[in-house]
Every structure is written in C-alpha cells, then in structure tokens.
Amino acid sequence: MTMEKMVIFHNLLDENARPAMERWFRRSHVPDVLAQYPWTNRYVLYYPVPAPEGAKNEGLYTYRIHENWAFDINLRRGGKGLVGMTPEPCENVIKADIIHIPAEPTEDFLGADWSYEEHPILRWVIAYRYPEGADKEECDKFFLETQAEEIKKMPGLIRFFSHKAIEFEGSALPITTDDNKEEGSEKLANLMRHWDRLSELWFECNADWTEAVINHPPKFTKPEWATWDKFPFLKPGDDFIHTFILESPDHDFTRECRPLYY
C-alpha cells in the first residue's frame, strides 16, 4: 500500500508571538488536526536548525515543519461532523506553505549505499514550483536530465532524492474557521498555492553545505525560464522555499497527543 504525506512549512513573522503560538499549537491545533485520525495516521514535527552561512533569504522557513501522513489524501475526512478548528491567537504572524507528495521519493539520485552510522545528517529540504507560464513538463525534464546530474557533483553531498508533487485542489484539511476560508484572502491563497517538487539534499554539517553551494559549487546550467540568477534559479519565497532539519522528528503527535474529540 502506498503512502502520501503533506509537508507544511511554517515561518514565524513576529518573534513576540512565539509563546502564544506555541501554546496554541500544543493545546489546540494539534488536537484539532488529530480529529482527522485515522485518515492522518502519522503527524510529526521537526524544528528547523540554524541555517548555514549564505542560506538566509526570503525563502528560508525557520519555525516548524509538519508532516501529515495518510494512505490517500483524496480519501480524507471532510468537514461533516466536525466543529471549527481553533483560530490562531495572533493574526498575520504565521506564513505557511503546503506541498503534497508521495511518502516514498519518485527519484533517488545519490547515497542509497551507505548505512546510518556512517554519516551525521543535515537535511536541506527544498520545495519549488516552476514559473507561471513555463512548460511544466519541459521544466521537470530539465531538472531530471540536467540539474539533478549537476547537483550530484556538489562536494560533500551524501544523499539526494526528490518527490514529484501530487496534483491536489484545495486544502487537505477541512477549512472551518472564518479567518481561513475568506475567499480572496492572502492567507488562503498562500496555503493553496501549488508546488511542483520537494527535494532533499543531505550534508554532514553546515560548513559542508556552504562549501558545496556557496564556495565551490559545480557549474550549473541556467534554464531559460529562470526567475533568479543563482541555483536553483527560482525566486526565493515565490518559487522556492527551503529549510534545514535533522534526521529525526522532534515530536510524533499521533503517539504523544489525543484528539480534542472524535
């Protein structure tokens, strides 16, 4: 049986809101999401780690990364029988992006031949979408046949795989609160924007990332559809978001928390 997962990147836009937002996640939002059980059969949290030098840009997400695992996102529970999800305690302090992917990568390019104890692991997790108006099939062909081969030449890269995103309309969680379902709202538009791929590049440490991406990168081919001058040639924050996490989740909510109700 195949698995799918929804990866949610969270950015905190106001540090003053951290205490209230952490309380909200712990007391309200996580139990709200768990009301989707057993559709959501794994729900984990990663806390991003400090980014390497040269990685800080508009596309860097530094607050929380959630993964919601399910057998089939399209068979999710709807909104019937539920009550409204608890609203956030602070307005306009969280930016969130969602990408739907197969749980198993669609391509595995590098590093499947070493065992766990051989390397410490710093995971560079990248979500990106091809520019509006570009031929998506041609863009993906460029990634697979050209850019992936160039990425494999990065010094210090120990693991590299990628997930082609699942086409999905709307939200994978029921939108039941007024602040989220207002048509035309910037918040809703951000949650609904489509991403084309999620890739992971693993290094042993921050210095190795800086060496590979900033100091001594391989020669990259710039595509005609580029929206940015530097690799991966997509504008940070618009077409490219990323974060740095370690190998294991910080929390597994399906084991640690209970739903508010069933």
Side-chain angles (χ1 to χ4, degrees):
M1 181 179 293
T2 60
M3 291 285 293
E4 298 175 0
K5 66 179 178 180
M6 176 173 64
V7 182
I8 310 174
F9 291 70
H10 295 92
N11 234 3
L12 185 64
L13 306 180
D14 183 354
E15 192 60 35
N16 290 313
R18 185 179 293 269
M21 291 303 298
E22 283 299 302
R23 172 185 286 182
W24 171 76
F25 269 114
R26 184 181 71 254
R27 291 188 179 181
S28 303
H29 186 66
V30 169
D32 273 338
V33 172
L34 288 174
Q36 288 279 312
Y37 183 84
W39 170 79
T40 297
N41 47 39
R42 190 165 186 248
Y43 182 25
V44 298
L45 159 68
Y46 293 87
Y47 285 118
V49 296
E53 289 297 321
K56 298 174 183 177
N57 56 44
E58 293 178 2
L60 181 66
Y61 279 50
T62 62
Y63 182 38
R64 299 166 75 104
I65 305 298
H66 285 190
E67 289 183 357
N68 300 50
W69 294 60
F71 288 115
D72 187 337
I73 290 172
N74 288 290
L75 298 179
R76 70 199 185 281
R77 183 178 182 181
K80 294 179 179 178
L82 298 179
V83 295
M85 297 183 77
T86 307
E88 298 168 13
C90 310
E91 293 186 5
N92 302 317
V93 298
I94 287 284
K95 182 179 181 182
D97 274 283
I98 300 173
I99 179 168
H100 306 281
I101 58 174
E104 186 172 80
T106 48
E107 294 83 22
D108 194 337
F109 297 108
L110 177 73
D113 56 349
W114 53 266
S115 63
Y116 178 76
E117 297 295 344
E118 289 184 47
H119 298 281
I121 300 168
L122 174 70
R123 297 165 60 185
W124 185 27
V125 183
I126 307 167
Y128 45 93
R129 56 183 181 173
Y130 302 125
E132 188 175 348
D135 185 318
K136 297 298 182 79
E137 290 188 7
E138 286 299 314
C139 291
D140 212 51
K141 182 179 179 182
F142 172 83
F143 169 76
L144 294 172
E145 297 181 1
T146 301
Q147 191 169 87
E149 292 302 312
E150 295 170 348
I151 289 173
K152 287 161 61 176
K153 298 176 183 177
M154 284 182 167
L157 182 68
I158 58 174
R159 196 80 174 90
F160 172 33
F161 53 85
S162 186
H163 308 250
K164 186 173 183 178
I166 297 168
E167 294 289 340
F168 193 88
E169 294 295 331
S171 171
L173 291 174
I175 298 174
T176 52
T177 49
D178 290 338
D179 63 323
N180 278 340
K181 64 186 179 182
E182 182 181 348
E183 187 173 350
S185 72
E186 181 179 348
K187 182 175 181 180
L188 182 59
N190 203 64
L191 285 171
M192 299 301 184
R193 62 181 181 166
H194 175 74
W195 296 89
D196 292 296
R197 273 196 176 269
L198 184 142
S199 295
E200 291 204 24
L201 283 67
W202 295 7
F203 300 88
E204 288 196 350
C205 62
N206 282 15
D208 284 359
W209 182 93
T210 301
E211 188 70 11
V213 180
I214 304 298
N215 296 338
H216 295 98
K219 182 176 176 58
F220 284 111
T221 302
K222 183 179 179 180
E224 293 182 357
W225 41 261
T227 55
W228 198 250
D229 289 333
K230 297 179 182 179
F231 170 82
F233 305 108
L234 295 165
K235 186 177 180 182
D238 289 347
D239 304 317
F240 163 64
I241 60 175
H242 62 133
T243 192
F244 295 86
I245 58 177
L246 300 182
E247 68 266 29
S248 300
D250 294 278
H251 293 281
D252 184 340
F253 295 132
T254 48
R255 296 182 179 183
E256 299 171 16
C257 302
R258 294 176 59 86
L260 284 180
Y261 61 93
Y262 288 98

